[in-house]
Amino acid sequence: MPGDLNQLQRSPRDVAHWRKAQEQLLGGRHGFALASYRDLSRRFPLVAELWFEMGSAAAGELNFDLANQAYRRAAELAPRNTSLLLLIGRQYENLRQPDDARASFERAVASDPTSVDARITLAMRFEKERRLEEAQAAVEASLAQHPRDDQARYFRAFLWHREKKNSEAETALRDLIRDEPQYPYVKYASRHLLGVVLDELGQYPEAMRWLLEAKEQVRQLTDVTALEREYDQADKSRRELLASLTPEMIRSWRKDAPPSSNPSSNQYQIAFLGGHPRSGTTLLEQILDAHPGVLAFDEPLAFNQEVTGNIPQPPGSGEIQARSLNALAGHRIQQMRQRYVKSLLREATGEPAAQILVDKNPSLTMSLPHWLRVFPELKVLIALRDPRDVIISSFFLNPVLNATNMNFLTIERTGRHYSDLMDVWLRMRELGGFDWLETRYEDVVENLESEGRRATELLGLSWHPDQSRSHETVRRKFLLAPTYHQVTQPVYRRAIGRWEHYAEALEPVRAKLAPYVRAFGYET
């Protein structure tokens, strides 16, 4: 009889083997973990958890076909396990497979129609796909069963906001906050969303007050000091590396690159689209992606997983870090390049016809030295925007908290993050030795074709008529950027000069921003 969970648990040796596989998986040793899971799932083929974990190990090894097979088998074995079905759906989201993710969330709802988590997760999936009526139906079904549930009430208000029903959203959020929600996320997210809603209603002073209250709520829930310490140490190390780089180093990386690094012998040309978050990177990405010769990716995980995580980061001075970069062997660089492209293309359907792959990832501007070490032929596009507008727009974000995003909890740290990131760009621009172009959000808004043409020509292509209608083609694409719902609209000017509504809140960072305002050609 095929082995099941009870049989596995009766064998201490097999339990130990499973625990070892889990340790390998969590430690990023995916190949070793996958071998263990293959053996365990062969002997205990009825254990859904084994198949789920094997899928994650296979994904880590970039064996996406096996990952899909394993996740499907896990779902077949546990059709009533709502928690596992939700986990499978989230793994599909990580793999950028939205259809499979939605199907898994729908199975989770079917397995337990009373689960608020399942219905809200499905509603969130629908909303990301801009299927707002279906998202609203999922929320209303949850509220019919749990009329006072914090999550469902919050998400209903969020959907009203997305539908531009901001007055209804405002009323619902004030009622929710008055009722003192117990769910920690809702407690601060409702305040944050109320600030966003009031901003759109033109009630700017009160919008900022709610935003500040929401940020303070987050600070009480998290060890922000530890995150700040982690970020500050990484920034110190990064600045030491930047100071140690020389123009000769950058040129030597390009000159000494393996033959397969040359664009003429490589199947794809890689381009990086960066800048600070909220600088118009998503808009520019969509303009480029509308070109039939370009395939643009929205904040993919590939570079961090396959490059940054595999480049030695030795402790010590910038000189030691620079030597570590210079010492990377050609075969190691080629391996990282191949894995990066394979990981990136997990999001593509079939073999892409486009020969230019654009990785849009503002936060990875911090890693430009690593980009240029592994991809010395890289085309670099940097999106700029009035730094004061960038700070306000970034402060209005409600991102997943980590050592980088915690900077958006105060105006002062937001200003610091801006300078940290843009100092990387200014230093790399000074060093030179690579192909780059700056483009300003305000110029794109003023003349989309002119600025889009400049960016397109950097990639070696001519302007295509479809690029003028990028807001129409993006409706067929799934985006992860916080502005995913805005780029489906025609280009608009209302975000220019937004900071003027919040001049008082910006006062603590005005002096710090002034050099960047001048450096990028904005009026002080």
Side-chain angles (χ1 to χ4, degrees), residues 300-310 340 359 361 363-364 367:
L301 305 174
F303 191 82
N304 271 337
Q305 290 179 339
E306 309 305 332
V307 179
T308 307
N310 291 298
Y340 166 80
D359 187 326
N361 232 319
S363 63
L364 290 184
S367 300

Side-chain angles (χ1 to χ4, degrees), residues 273 281-289 296 298 360 477:
L273 171 53
T281 53
T282 302
L283 174 59
L284 189 55
E285 171 205 349
Q286 297 312 311
I287 294 171
L288 294 173
D289 190 61
D298 180 45
K360 189 273 287 187
K477 183 177 179 181

Side-chain angles (χ1 to χ4, degrees), residues 44-118:
F44 301 97
L46 301 182
V47 181
E49 291 80 4
L50 282 177
W51 289 98
F52 171 75
E53 292 170 15
M54 185 167 78
S56 299
E61 278 293 284
L62 308 186
N63 190 338
F64 302 121
D65 288 340
L66 178 58
N68 282 323
Q69 293 171 20
Y71 290 141
R72 283 196 293 269
R73 183 58 180 150
E76 290 169 358
L77 289 169
R80 312 304 300 175
N81 188 331
T82 306
S83 297
L84 183 61
L85 292 169
L86 289 174
L87 287 173
I88 293 171
R90 292 183 182 114
Q91 288 301 103
Y92 277 129
E93 287 187 318
N94 290 336
L95 292 175
R96 306 298 175 90
Q97 297 177 205
D99 292 342
D100 290 316
R102 184 189 341 100
S104 190
F105 296 147
E106 287 172 335
R107 285 193 291 270
V109 171
S111 72
D112 183 4
T114 67
S115 170
V116 175
D117 283 344

Side-chain angles (χ1 to χ4, degrees), residues 93-96 128 271-283 285-286 295-305 340 343-344 346-347 358-365 371 397 399-400 402 404-405 408 477-484 487:
E93 287 187 318
N94 290 336
L95 292 175
R96 306 298 175 90
K128 276 283 189 182
F272 170 68
L273 171 53
H276 196 279
R278 307 300 286 128
S279 293
T281 53
T282 302
L283 174 59
E285 171 205 349
Q286 297 312 311
L295 182 58
F297 296 85
D298 180 45
E299 303 186 14
L301 305 174
F303 191 82
N304 271 337
Q305 290 179 339
Y340 166 80
S343 180
L344 195 66
R346 76 177 75 173
E347 302 180 36
V358 176
D359 187 326
K360 189 273 287 187
N361 232 319
S363 63
L364 290 184
T365 306
W371 273 106
L397 292 174
V400 175
N402 55 35
T404 297
N405 292 338
F408 302 135
K477 183 177 179 181
F478 169 65
L479 297 175
L480 281 169
T483 53
Y484 62 91
V487 293

